[in-house]
Amino acid sequence: MNVLVINCGSSSLKFQLINSETEGVLAKGLCERIGIEGSQLVYQPAGGEKEKSLASMPTHTQAIKLVLDALVNEKTGVIKSLHEIGAVGHRLVHGGEKFANSTIITEEVIAAVESCNELAPLHNPANLIGVRACQELMPEVPMVGVFDTAFHQTMPEKAYLYGIPYEYYDKYKVRRYGFHGTSHSYVSKRVAQLEGKPYEELKTIVCHLGNGSSVCAVKNGKSIDTSMGLTPLEGLLMGTRSGDIDPGAIEYIAKKENLSLEEIMNILNKKSGVLGISGISSDFRDLEDAAFKAKDPAAIRALDAFHYRVAKYIGAYVAAMNGVDVICFTAGVGENGPETREEICSYLGYLGVTIDPEANKVRGKEQVISTPDSRVKVYCLPTNEELAIAKATVELVG
Ligand code: AMP
């Protein structure tokens, strides 16, 4: 079956058409600046050139219409008619406590996702706009929602509760949810396959390190803890997000700088993390260039803090699982940053982790990067959230 995978943001939309039998990507691309002047479609058929075309996209429906037209285009299309699309899989960010699994999208499901909008105001409404647009253009095609939060619904209460009055959990569901669940689930399952071991018997730590970053402890096939919380701001230092911070610091800065809560949240989300510490960039390539080539102290400081925080979470999750069998590095930096992996693993000698410097040169490929005698196996393992969404969609649609 061909599955159209849609990841819809407020002004952009990424798509992939995946054949679920071969797991091959038939075409992929994105629509940028939807509803804004200068919108463009980027489209790439498998084995073909990437095409960029300026096109008017006042609405998401218009954008998806352009994607569908491109997929059936006589010259560069990859299918003859839209009937060849068997299902659409939508990335949905926040399913709250309502969704512990992917689900076929019905009107009741849409209403339930809408009720989680307050928990992810930037993402959920945009995701649902994508769902509505697809429903309008492909009314007969089944749609499936795959949630970033679902995989972490197995976290025990002791891991997801904050140390605040319980009434806030009772009344408002203020708790830790975790994100990047589709990626953590995909990578932890894939590594079990590569290891030839039952998923239900492994203790795995997945480090999803990209612009947004999180670590997840997967014990016996279940997420038992992860570093993001109620929102994707908690946990690791990220490109522009602070990660863990004493709430007392927020009050202190607000008073000193005369800032509103909204302004402070904007700083913690958009001007902090490695960008905030370095003052150089949120992009790890820029920072690694500045740190390793130019020996820039601000870039070194930011990367040191980033590596240290990841290592600290790994240590916490080894404790939470009473051991670890495999550690996986994934996402933009995890897959492509040998220096990042090496620096983080340099903290893990106490676990008997030893890295093979030759193997660790790998970028963007599945590979064991630890030495044969390392007590814990370490992998570079590219994530594939789109394939995971396509597989979950086929499982439900049948
Ligand atoms: P993601 O959010 O997973 O797309 O990851 C984006 C981050 O990955 C950016 O900070 C990039 O700089 C980083 N990244 C991508 N390619 C490389 C690379 N070759 N070396 C180091 N970092 C990279």
Side-chain angles (χ1 to χ4, degrees):
M1 180 194 295
N2 294 331
V3 180
L4 181 61
V5 177
I6 299 277
N7 180 355
C8 191
S10 55
S11 66
S12 70
L13 179 156
K14 291 188 200 144
F15 66 91
Q16 284 195 6
L17 185 66
I18 296 178
N19 180 302
S20 64
E21 280 93 42
T22 63
E23 300 191 354
V25 177
L26 303 178
K28 63 181 179 182
L30 76 154
C31 301
E32 290 173 305
R33 299 178 65 84
I34 301 169
I36 309 170
E37 219 172 291
S39 41
Q40 75 165 356
L41 169 71
V42 181
Y43 173 79
Q44 186 173 25
E49 292 290 307
K50 196 185 264 186
E51 294 166 17
K52 290 184 181 177
S53 51
L54 288 175
S56 161
M57 299 175 203
T59 64
H60 285 75
T61 309
Q62 210 73 37
I64 292 174
K65 172 95 177 49
L66 288 168
V67 170
L68 298 178
D69 287 348
L71 292 172
V72 296
N73 181 286
E74 268 190 18
K75 277 193 196 145
T76 52
V78 291
I79 49 176
K80 291 210 170 61
S81 100
L82 294 182
H83 295 300
E84 290 177 45
I85 299 177
V88 182
H90 291 270
R91 177 191 179 210
L92 302 178
V93 167
H94 215 310
E97 288 187 332
K98 295 196 170 83
F99 297 99
N101 288 298
S102 307
T103 180
I104 297 209
I105 298 177
T106 60
E107 281 308 311
E108 292 76 48
V109 166
I110 291 179
V113 177
E114 272 169 351
S115 73
C116 302
N117 279 3
E118 268 188 338
L119 294 171
L122 297 180
H123 294 100
N124 270 22
N127 297 161
L128 288 176
I129 289 172
V131 171
R132 290 285 190 211
C134 286
Q135 284 178 329
E136 197 182 324
L137 295 165
M138 295 176 275
E140 306 300 326
V141 180
M143 312 266 157
V144 168
V146 179
F147 296 89
D148 269 23
T149 48
F151 183 59
H152 304 301
Q153 278 298 300
T154 46
M155 271 197 287
E157 194 180 52
K158 63 186 174 192
Y160 71 66
L161 282 183
Y162 286 118
I164 57 175
Y166 193 75
E167 63 179 290
Y168 299 130
Y169 170 63
D170 249 357
K171 282 201 281 192
Y172 311 121
K173 297 289 168 219
V174 175
R175 51 158 281 182
R176 307 183 59 253
Y177 289 95
F179 297 85
H180 295 140
T182 313
S183 174
H184 289 302
S185 160
Y186 171 84
V187 171
S188 56
K189 281 187 188 132
R190 179 72 189 137
V191 85
Q193 267 178 2
L194 293 171
E195 284 290 287
K197 295 197 176 138
Y199 188 42
E200 297 71 25
E201 288 174 18
L202 269 190
K203 293 175 184 172
T204 305
I205 294 176
V206 181
C207 306
H208 177 112
L209 311 178
N211 265 325
S213 296
S214 65
V215 184
C216 181
V218 187
K219 186 177 182 186
N220 307 337
K222 291 189 172 124
S223 165
I224 62 140
D225 207 345
T226 188
S227 57
M228 283 178 168
L230 174 75
T231 74
L233 186 52
E234 189 179 336
L236 302 178
L237 274 149
M238 304 177 217
T240 62
R241 287 174 239 163
S242 64
D244 299 337
I245 181 172
D246 177 356
I250 296 174
E251 186 196 23
Y252 189 77
I253 297 167
K255 283 189 177 152
K256 287 279 180 199
E257 296 271 320
N258 197 21
L259 295 171
S260 68
L261 193 53
E262 210 174 28
E263 286 167 322
I264 288 268
M265 291 314 290
N266 191 46
I267 291 168
L268 296 179
N269 270 300
K270 302 205 172 130
K271 298 183 179 166
S272 300
V274 289
L275 168 68
I277 293 185
S278 70
I280 295 174
S281 175
S282 64
D283 191 294
F284 281 79
R285 276 167 293 200
D286 298 342
L287 287 171
E288 289 183 357
D289 280 350
F292 303 134
K293 293 187 188 146
K295 308 274 179 238
D296 184 291
I300 293 170
R301 188 181 297 139
L303 289 177
D304 275 354
F306 174 77
H307 301 144
Y308 176 73
R309 181 91 51 103
V310 178
K312 209 162 88 163
Y313 265 97
I314 292 174
Y317 291 163
V318 173
M321 295 196 289
N322 189 23
V324 60
D325 299 311
V326 198
I327 297 171
C328 300
F329 287 96
T330 194
V333 192
E335 291 167 23
N336 298 298
E339 293 86 358
T340 300
R341 295 189 296 251
E342 189 187 322
E343 291 290 334
I344 293 167
C345 290
S346 71
Y347 286 96
L348 308 180
Y350 70 99
L351 290 174
V353 167
T354 47
I355 295 299
D356 175 342
E358 257 323 291
N360 188 37
K361 284 184 181 155
V362 67
R363 289 177 195 268
K365 271 200 241 145
E366 290 179 345
Q367 187 159 304
V368 177
I369 58 164
S370 48
T371 57
D373 61 349
S374 177
R375 264 194 278 138
V376 177
K377 239 175 175 173
V378 185
Y379 273 83
C380 166
L381 212 165
T383 191
N384 194 340
E385 286 160 286
E386 291 79 11
L387 179 61
I389 292 174
K391 281 183 166 177
T393 301
V394 173
E395 249 171 54
L396 282 172
V397 172

